[in-house]
Amino acid sequence: MADLRSMEQLIQQVTTKALDATVGVIVGAAQGSGVVVSEDGLILTAGHVIGKPGREVTVILNDGSRVKGVTLGTDRSIDSGAIQITTPGKYKHLPVRSSSNLKDGEWVLVMGHAGGIVKDRRPALRLGRVLANSRDVIATDATLVGGDSGGPLLDIQGNVIGINSRIGNRITANLHVPSTQYLDNLDRLRNSEVWGRLGGTQPYLGVRCDTERQEVVVTRVTPGSPADQAGIQEGDQILRFNNREIDSFDNLKLMVNQYSPGDRISVRIRRSSGNVITLEVELTDRRQLDRE
């Protein structure tokens, strides 16, 4: 009983700080949750809550006041996302702890606007335990319902260790984006970069390269492919893919797989003549080509 009472007191202390930093977000017709992690108003949330960069956001603070924000970047493959509050001010926030050392069975807390944002109702707090922890996802038995998406997963000391992402098939098995993914990619999120492949798609560029050479030189362009339509030619050396340096054909394939069909990508190439130009390629789905 003494241990339970000690935990109760600790949770009560954490709750006050967590409530101050947990916010509601309205993006278009969609609602969700988020958590402020810096004094200048950086919010971590779920990728499916923000949709894409540059969208106007209404952020509802714990006291009911509303401030403005804008959506930033997202990694679609793991559902991470970020928002920047644009209304000047100093905002109450929570620290972010790396989730890499989370242990199965560790006690955790989740917060969010369960069921949607309701006037004069604070976010709900629920207690649970870690079921599994990996690089790309944390599973807990802490209950999630619609509206919780984007809210914080906290350790018992009140540090952000993840972001609520998906409701599991069972109410006792829910999924969260690990905080380590946000810490490792914070610059990309702040720079409004969009990356990561949507599930069930096969992004396709349509080139083959000489694997025997150190440079990434195109040896074949598939007719009708995105590369062909963009003007990439045999003999072109691919230098950068969406402003990221390419140093091998394997690296190029890995880069393509980080995006989704329909994404427009800038490709920096050096022609056999020595001229360096930038082309825009719209990736397609390999499965669509197979059907055709």
Side-chain angles (χ1 to χ4, degrees):
M1 287 298 295
D3 288 343
L4 289 175
R5 290 189 182 281
S6 177
M7 179 180 287
E8 179 183 48
Q9 292 174 357
L10 182 58
I11 291 173
Q12 288 173 341
Q13 295 171 5
V14 166
T15 299
T16 300
K17 295 180 180 179
L19 281 171
D20 285 339
T22 301
V23 298
V25 296
I26 302 175
V27 187
Q31 295 185 3
S33 303
V35 58
V36 184
V37 296
S38 69
E39 187 177 65
D40 67 350
L42 178 66
I43 296 172
L44 303 186
T45 187
H48 72 268
V49 171
I50 68 169
K52 61 181 181 179
R55 304 178 69 187
E56 293 184 355
V57 181
T58 298
V59 179
I60 303 174
L61 305 179
N62 184 46
D63 62 4
S65 61
R66 299 188 174 208
V67 294
K68 294 181 179 180
V70 62
T71 59
L72 301 177
T74 176
D75 180 349
R76 294 172 300 193
S77 62
I78 60 168
D79 197 33
S80 65
I83 295 168
Q84 178 63 55
I85 296 176
T86 54
T87 301
K90 294 182 178 181
Y91 296 94
K92 295 180 179 179
H93 57 283
L94 291 176
V96 182
R97 164 197 161 191
S98 172
S99 55
S100 59
N101 294 323
L102 279 180
K103 296 179 175 59
D104 292 357
E106 185 171 336
W107 289 102
V108 291
L109 303 167
V110 295
M111 297 196 77
H113 287 272
I117 300 168
V118 178
K119 185 179 179 181
D120 298 328
R121 189 192 70 178
R122 291 183 168 188
L125 171 75
R126 280 137 289 163
L127 179 68
R129 293 171 299 172
V130 174
L131 301 178
N133 178 35
S134 69
R135 179 179 178 277
D136 292 336
V137 68
I138 299 170
T140 76
D141 62 4
T143 303
L144 295 181
V145 298
D148 283 324
S149 293
L153 173 70
L154 309 169
D155 64 17
I156 210 69
Q157 286 77 38
N159 300 300
V160 177
I161 53 173
I163 295 296
N164 304 334
S165 174
R166 288 153 286 170
I167 301 170
N169 293 328
R170 294 179 291 117
I171 197 170
T172 55
N174 298 292
L175 305 178
H176 316 262
V177 183
S179 59
T180 303
Q181 286 284 2
Y182 290 90
L183 293 171
D184 289 348
N185 295 288
L186 197 56
D187 287 343
R188 298 180 75 179
L189 292 172
R190 283 186 178 274
N191 290 333
S192 297
E193 186 174 341
V194 176
W195 74 101
R197 177 160 59 97
L198 292 172
T201 62
Q202 296 180 18
Y204 180 62
L205 178 61
V207 299
R208 297 294 300 176
C209 295
D210 187 350
T211 58
E212 299 299 322
R213 297 180 59 173
Q214 183 175 357
E215 300 86 2
V216 185
V217 177
V218 176
T219 57
R220 184 178 186 274
V221 179
T222 302
S225 67
D228 184 35
Q229 294 177 12
I232 294 176
Q233 304 171 3
E234 292 182 14
D236 288 345
Q237 179 187 351
I238 298 179
L239 304 173
R240 304 184 74 84
F241 189 83
N242 234 21
N243 295 319
R244 300 176 71 184
E245 186 175 353
I246 299 298
D247 56 15
S248 70
F249 185 43
D250 285 340
N251 182 227
L252 175 62
K253 290 187 289 185
L254 179 64
M255 291 291 184
V256 171
N257 279 323
Q258 291 183 4
Y259 294 89
S260 292
D263 285 347
R264 292 181 176 274
I265 307 297
S266 63
V267 181
R268 188 79 165 167
I269 63 171
R270 177 181 288 116
R271 288 264 141 94
S272 56
S273 64
N275 291 335
V276 176
I277 61 174
T278 300
L279 302 174
E280 184 176 78
V281 178
E282 182 175 345
L283 300 179
T284 190
D285 195 324
R286 182 189 294 273
R287 299 170 306 167
Q288 184 65 39
L289 294 177
D290 292 341
R291 285 193 290 268
E292 293 175 354

